[in-house]
Amino acid sequence: MKKEHLVAYFDEAAASRDAWKRRNWYYHWNVERLLQFLVPAWETVLEMGSGTGDLLAALKPKRGVGLDLSERMTAVAKAKYPQMEWITGDAENLKIGEQFDWVVMSDLVGFLDDIEQAFSNLNRVTHPRSKVVITHYNYLWEPVLRLAELLHLKEKQPLQNWLSPKDIENMLY
């Protein structure tokens, strides 16, 4: 999907994103709990693909910066969590010069055109002790998720790239 179409999709989805997340709370709750377990509070955290900001806020960072491709998603996050910094930008063309203890990429990898470039950009925002956490649901769920979209039980999303955990590990290596 072309970048401008992806931006338009997320800009349009921004107004209803939180309602869909509440409707499908169990998935988002589990991702949040997992990341709260992995990422200690009061660390510096960059979330790439931050959406409306709930996940980053739940991590209770000392300094939290959210990056999202959509200006409208960023605006919603700024309104909800003004104590954090929210940047409209692209993980594939990263302009951040600050280093973080943790970088979170939750449900982002599938939307990237150039995953290798986005991973390469992690060098700009990490230091030797930084940790990167990537979450993404298994592609075996795709038929169930598409059915849920058809039944209006889940927000419709564009098709995504699918990588196995080994593929992601190899690209990061």
Side-chain angles (χ1 to χ4, degrees), residues 17 57 62 65:
R17 179 72 175 140
K62 172 173 64 177
V65 175

PDB file of all heavy atoms in Angstrom, residues 17 57 62 65:
ATOM      1  N   ARG A  17     -10.716   5.115  16.493  1.00  0.00           N
ATOM      2  CA  ARG A  17      -9.727   4.121  16.951  1.00  0.00           C
ATOM      3  C   ARG A  17      -9.958   3.678  18.393  1.00  0.00           C
ATOM      4  O   ARG A  17      -9.947   2.490  18.700  1.00  0.00           O
ATOM      5  CB  ARG A  17      -8.308   4.697  16.791  1.00  0.00           C
ATOM      6  CG  ARG A  17      -7.218   3.771  17.254  1.00  0.00           C
ATOM      7  CD  ARG A  17      -7.049   2.626  16.298  1.00  0.00           C
ATOM      8  NE  ARG A  17      -5.913   1.822  16.727  1.00  0.00           N
ATOM      9  CZ  ARG A  17      -5.880   0.511  16.689  1.00  0.00           C
ATOM     10  NH1 ARG A  17      -6.894  -0.153  16.189  1.00  0.00           N
ATOM     11  NH2 ARG A  17      -4.834  -0.143  17.097  1.00  0.00           N
ATOM     12  N   ALA A  57       1.402   5.453  27.222  1.00  0.00           N
ATOM     13  CA  ALA A  57       0.988   5.987  28.530  1.00  0.00           C
ATOM     14  C   ALA A  57       0.933   4.883  29.581  1.00  0.00           C
ATOM     15  O   ALA A  57       1.322   5.100  30.736  1.00  0.00           O
ATOM     16  CB  ALA A  57      -0.356   6.681  28.403  1.00  0.00           C
ATOM     17  N   LYS A  62       9.632   7.459  32.148  1.00  0.00           N
ATOM     18  CA  LYS A  62      10.218   8.697  32.665  1.00  0.00           C
ATOM     19  C   LYS A  62      10.119   9.771  31.580  1.00  0.00           C
ATOM     20  O   LYS A  62       9.773  10.906  31.843  1.00  0.00           O
ATOM     21  CB  LYS A  62      11.682   8.452  33.050  1.00  0.00           C
ATOM     22  CG  LYS A  62      12.458   9.699  33.431  1.00  0.00           C
ATOM     23  CD  LYS A  62      13.845   9.369  33.966  1.00  0.00           C
ATOM     24  CE  LYS A  62      14.698   8.715  32.910  1.00  0.00           C
ATOM     25  NZ  LYS A  62      16.068   8.448  33.353  1.00  0.00           N
ATOM     26  N   VAL A  65       8.109   9.221  24.200  1.00  0.00           N
ATOM     27  CA  VAL A  65       7.938   9.882  22.905  1.00  0.00           C
ATOM     28  C   VAL A  65       7.188   8.903  22.004  1.00  0.00           C
ATOM     29  O   VAL A  65       7.588   7.751  21.855  1.00  0.00           O
ATOM     30  CB  VAL A  65       9.296  10.264  22.270  1.00  0.00           C
ATOM     31  CG1 VAL A  65       9.093  10.847  20.876  1.00  0.00           C
ATOM     32  CG2 VAL A  65      10.060  11.234  23.158  1.00  0.00           C
TER      33      VAL A  65
END
